[in-house]
Amino acid sequence: MAVRRPWRGSAVPSSPAARYSQRPCALPVWWAAAAASRAAFLLLLLVAAAGRAGVSAAGVPAAGVPEVHSLRGSWRLGNGNGSVVLRGEVPGCVHTALHRAGLIQDPYYRFNDVMYRWISLDNWTYSRTFRTPFDFRKWQKVNLVFEGVDTVAQILINNVTLGRTDNMFNRYGFDITSVIKEVNFIEVHFLSAISYAAEQNRCHKGYSIPPACPPPVQKGECHANFIRKEQCSFSWDWGPSFPTQGIWKDVRIEAYNHYHLIYFSLTSFFVKSTQKWRLEIEAIFDVVSSKPIVGLVTVNIPKLQTQQTFNVTLQPGEGSIVLLVNINKSFAVEAWWPNGHGKQTGYNMTTTFIMEAGYQIEKFSKAYFRTVELVQEPIHGSPGLSFYFRINDRPIFIKGSNWIPADSFQDRVTYDTLRLLLKSAADANMNALRVWGGGVYEQDEFYDICDEIGIMIWQDFMFACALYPTDQNYLESVGAEVTHQVRRLKSHPSIILWSGNNENEAAIASNWFSIPYADRGVYIKDYVMLYVKNIREIVLAEDKSRPFVASSPTNGLESVKEGWVSQNPYDTHYGDTHFYDYSIDCWNWAAYPKTRFASEYGFQSWPSFSTIKKVSSTEDWSYTSNFSLHRQHHENGNDQMLQQIGYHFKLPQSTDPIKKFKDMIYLTQVMQAQCVKTETEFYRFSQSEIIKGEGHTMGALYWQLNDIWQAPSWASLEYGGKWKLLHYFAQNFFAPLLPVAYEDKGVLYIYGVSDLHVDHKLTLRVIVYTWSSLEPVCILSKGGVTVKAQSAVPIYKESINDFLERCQNCTRKSCVVTFCLMGEDGLQSPTNHHFLSSLKDAVGLKKTQLSASVSQQDDIYIFDLHTTAITPFVSLDVGSIKGRFSENGFLMTEKKKVVMFYPWEPTSIEELEESLTLTSLVDIV
C-alpha cells in the first residue's frame, strides 16, 4: 500500500439572476447592513424592418449587438476598519495590490507567509464608480457578470444588494436592469475566507467533516473543506497559506434584447456504423423574450467542405439548442493527436445564428476531431481489469506529471507563465498532465495551449484529501460550479478525463481520519451523494464525449461494483495508484507497485540556489536554518532527503557553510532525478508484461510538474520555470525510444521501450567504462534487435558475473554501464546508464578538470565542455538567466561534449560566462 503524504495531496449563467446559497449560519452584522436560404433572407428583412421601426414585432425594443463593457482596471480597496486604503487592480487580489502599492514586501520573502496572515483575516472591500457607456433604457436586460469572485462576498450597486457569492469556481450574473444609472457605484464586500470556513464548520451539526486542520508543519488554516475555494490556498505540503480575497477574473456589464449567447461548445464523435465524424454543437442562451424565438443556424467548416443549416427555436428563460453536424465523408479528416503521436490539427469553423427577432451572431471557433476511451477490460493471465486510454482507436501510454497552481496569487499567472511551463512539459516528451483537485480549474489559455501542443489533460474536480459537507445549499453551489466548468471546458480536445476528486475514496477506504467503524456509513453516503449522484450525473448529462471516474486513486469499475468506495483503492490489478515511500532505497525497482496506471509518485528536492536566494537572506543559507525548516511543509521532508541521499552518495562535509548548502541542494536534485528515473522506467518497461498477475502499466504521471513558490517540493520545474535536474532526466526517461536496464537476482536485463507507431530493427550498443578512465573497457553491439511498436520488450539478458568477467578488470564498484539504441535514418535513443553499485562506493572516481567555453549561433548559445575524467551528474547552472539547456545532469564519458542553451529572454556570452557554475559529483566534498 502506498505511503500517503498527509493532507496533500453557484454560478449561474449571466441570466437568470444569480442564486445565492444562503448557508444555515448567520453572517456578520456588517453583511446584513450593507445591503443562408429564402427563409434566411426573410429573417434578415424582418430584422431590418424591426430595426427601422425601433421596436420588434413583439413591441419590445429593437435588437442590436449587445453592449459589453468591462469593469477591469483600478478599483478602490480598503480593509474592514478603513485603516488601509489603496488602489487595487481587477482582476487581482488584496495581497498583490498591497505589494504593488509598496505596503508589504514580496509575500514569498522569508517568513512572510506567516507574518502576513493578518491580510486574510481582515474583511476587504473593492469599490468603484463607473459611468454607463450606453443608453441603458434601450435594453430589455442589463447584467452585471463576475467570471470569478474569490470567494465570499456581498455585491452592491447604487446601495442595492444584488446578492452574495460563496464559490470561487462559479460565474455569477446579477440582473441590474432596474438599478443601473448613468453614473453607478459598485461595491464588493468580502468576508475573510478563514472566518467563513470556521463558521460553516461550527454550524455543521450532527457529525464532523474531517480533517479539521492541516498538520502544524504546513502553517496553514483550518476547515478548507467548508469553502468552495482553492483548497491549497489554506496551505499544502508543498505550498504556503495565502487564503486570498479579490475579484480574480473579469467583471463586466452586458446589455441585450431578446436573447444573449452564454455558452457555446462543440465536441466530436466518430460514428462507427457510418464511418463518419460528427460534431455536437451546443449553444445556451438567456432568452429575455416571453415567447419562443425561431431562426436559422448555419455551420460552416470550409476546409472540410461541410456546411449545414438548421431551423431552431429558443424557449424563454435558459434556451438551449443542440446541433448535430455530419462531416463531409469525401474529405479525410485529420484527427487531433497527443504530443509525440501526430499533429494537433484543428479546423476553422464559423457558426452563424440568425433569429427572427434579434441580431446576427457569428461564432468563430476551432473544430477538433478526437475520440477517447478509458479501457477497463479483463487481461489474460491476470486478475482484475486493464486501465488505459485509447485515443483515436490507438492505445496511448500516458507520460507526464501533475499540475498545481502556478502561483498563490492567480492574477500573477500570465499567458507567458502558462506557455513556458506547458512548453517545458512538451519539450520533456510529456503527452499528459493531471490538473490536480486541490487547486483551480485553470484559465482558458491553459487549455488552449494544451490543445495546440498536444498535452492531454486528466481534469480533477476541485476536491482533495478531505471529506466534504453535503447539505442542500452546498450541493446546489457545487452543482452550479460543475455545470459551469464542464460547459466552459468541454470543447477542448486536450481534456480526456473528468475525475471527481483527489484521494477522497482512499481517505475513506484507508480511514485516514480515524472514523469509528460504526460511523463509516454516514461518510460513504455523503461521498456517493456528492461525487456520484451530483457531480457524475451533471457530467454525464453535460458531456458524453469523454469518460468520468469518481476519484484518483480508484479501482475504476471495481470501485463502482463495491459501491464507489473500494476496500483497497491502491489495488494494482485495477484503476490507478498513488505511491509514496521515502524509507525505501529508491534505486530498488522491486519496491514499486506493478500497477495498471501510476498517476502520482515522486520524491522531493530543493530548488536551485539562485531561486532560493531571491526570497532569503544570508543567514538562511543552511540546510538546517530556521528558513530551511520553515520552508519545508512536509513532515520530516528534509531528513527524508538526507536519508535517501545517504543510500548512494556521500553527504557534503565542506567547512564553508554556503558551499555546503549549495552542495546539499545539488545532491537533493541528483537524488530526486535518479529516484524518479528509476521508478518511471520501471513503469514504462512494465507496459507489455504480466508478472505474477501484475503489469500492463499504461501511465506514469509523476508528482509534480511545477512549483507554487520557492521551496523544497516534488516539482521538476522551479517557481519561475527553471528546470531542475529531474526535468532534464524526464526528457530522456519519457523519450519515444528508450533502452532501460535493471537487475533481478544477479541478472542484467535491458528492455527496448517504444512509443513509435511501427516496429524497428535496431542495434543495441552497450559500452562499459571504469570510473578511472575515459577509454571504454568493453563494447558490445547487438544488431537485428526488434523493438515492437508501442511496447516494451526484453532485448538483452546476461548474468552480472558473466558480464563483468567478459569486461576484464571490471568489478561492480569500479565500472559503469552505458547503452543506447540506434537505427537507420538517424533514429537513436538517448544514452542511458546503469550503476552497478552506489556511487559512494565507486572505486576510481577522480577529481576532474571540468571546463566550458561559450559561443553563439543565431539565438542559441553553445557550451563546449571539456573533462579530464569520467564525470557523473554534470550540472550546468547559469543562475537567474532564464532559459534551458539541451541536456543536464548527465554522465560525461568523453573528453568533449557540446550542450546547447536556449534562452527565454535576451542574454549574452559575457553574461552566461559570468553566471555559469559547473558542478559534478566529484566536486562534493
Side-chain angles (χ1 to χ4, degrees), residues 10-20 141-147 149 155 162-165 170-176 252 254 256:
S10 128
V12 213
S14 45
S15 65
R19 292 191 303 263
Y20 168 65
K141 190 162 186 180
V142 184
N143 267 346
L144 173 63
V145 180
F146 290 86
E147 285 293 336
V149 180
I155 316 292
L162 301 176
R164 296 181 170 88
T165 68
N170 282 351
R171 171 197 282 171
Y172 287 91
F174 301 98
D175 186 344
I176 60 170
R252 62 185 179 273
E254 295 178 344
Y256 47 93

Side-chain angles (χ1 to χ4, degrees), residues 6 113-114 214-220 235-240 628-638 709:
D113 55 317
V114 173
V217 70
Q218 291 179 201
K219 306 155 195 75
S235 83
W236 218 261
D237 60 358
W238 36 254
S628 293
L629 293 172
H630 178 83
R631 219 68 173 183
Q632 175 58 269
H633 281 199
H634 170 60
E635 194 74 56
N636 299 319
N638 289 348
W709 71 333

Side-chain angles (χ1 to χ4, degrees), residues 860-905:
I860 297 170
Y861 293 87
I862 301 161
F863 286 69
D864 287 293
L865 300 182
H866 298 264
T867 185
T868 55
I870 283 196
T871 317
F873 301 111
V874 175
S875 166
L876 297 89
D877 190 313
V878 289
S880 295
I881 297 175
K882 294 185 184 299
R884 72 167 182 90
F885 291 95
S886 55
E887 54 183 314
N888 215 341
F890 46 81
L891 175 67
M892 192 163 172
T893 57
E894 296 174 326
K895 289 180 182 177
K896 296 180 181 180
K897 186 176 181 68
V898 175
V899 176
M900 308 295 183
F901 180 76
Y902 306 104
W904 297 333
E905 61 184 21

Side-chain angles (χ1 to χ4, degrees), residues 237-445:
D237 60 358
W238 36 254
S241 175
F242 284 112
T244 45
Q245 295 173 42
I247 303 167
W248 74 294
K249 292 195 173 188
D250 190 39
V251 54
R252 62 185 179 273
I253 305 293
E254 295 178 344
Y256 47 93
N257 293 329
H258 305 299
Y259 57 88
H260 184 55
L261 181 63
I262 302 167
Y263 293 103
F264 179 87
S265 63
L266 56 152
T267 48
S268 60
F269 300 86
F270 187 73
V271 185
K272 290 189 176 179
S273 59
T274 60
Q275 292 293 293
K276 285 169 83 171
W277 284 97
R278 173 183 282 179
L279 280 178
E280 181 178 295
I281 297 173
E282 184 175 25
I284 297 173
F285 293 82
D286 178 23
V287 181
V288 185
S289 169
S290 59
K291 295 179 181 178
I293 299 174
V294 299
L296 294 177
V297 181
T298 300
V299 179
N300 186 21
I301 310 174
K303 278 202 171 178
L304 296 177
Q305 289 198 7
T306 296
Q307 181 168 315
Q308 279 180 250
T309 299
F310 303 84
N311 293 297
V312 297
T313 303
L314 293 177
Q315 298 298 332
E318 188 180 280
S320 174
I321 54 177
V322 176
L323 311 173
L324 298 177
V325 179
N326 294 309
I327 303 303
N328 190 336
K329 196 175 177 181
S330 61
F331 278 80
V333 173
E334 285 189 24
W336 182 95
W337 286 98
N339 183 36
H341 290 277
K343 296 177 182 177
Q344 292 76 48
T345 303
Y347 294 89
N348 291 327
M349 183 179 93
T350 305
T351 308
T352 307
F353 300 83
I354 305 174
M355 313 307 289
E356 68 173 343
Y359 57 97
Q360 177 175 311
I361 298 174
E362 273 199 321
K363 193 74 182 173
F364 301 99
S365 50
K366 280 270 189 194
Y368 294 96
F369 297 88
R370 185 271 293 125
T371 63
V372 56
E373 302 163 85
L374 176 56
V375 182
Q376 300 180 74
E377 297 173 341
I379 299 173
H380 179 70
S382 173
L385 300 170
S386 64
F387 191 91
Y388 70 90
F389 290 92
R390 202 153 51 200
I391 306 295
N392 303 327
D393 223 23
R394 182 181 290 277
I396 301 288
F397 188 97
I398 302 294
K399 305 182 299 186
S401 189
N402 286 261
W403 174 274
I404 66 166
D407 205 295
S408 292
F409 313 109
Q410 280 292 314
D411 52 298
R412 301 203 303 201
V413 182
T414 65
Y415 175 86
D416 289 343
T417 304
L418 295 173
R419 185 158 193 94
L420 179 64
L421 294 170
L422 292 170
K423 186 69 167 57
S424 291
D427 287 346
N429 290 307
M430 296 183 189
N431 60 26
L433 292 171
R434 173 172 169 253
V435 176
W436 168 75
V440 298
Y441 306 95
E442 282 297 334
Q443 51 190 278
D444 294 339
E445 289 83 357

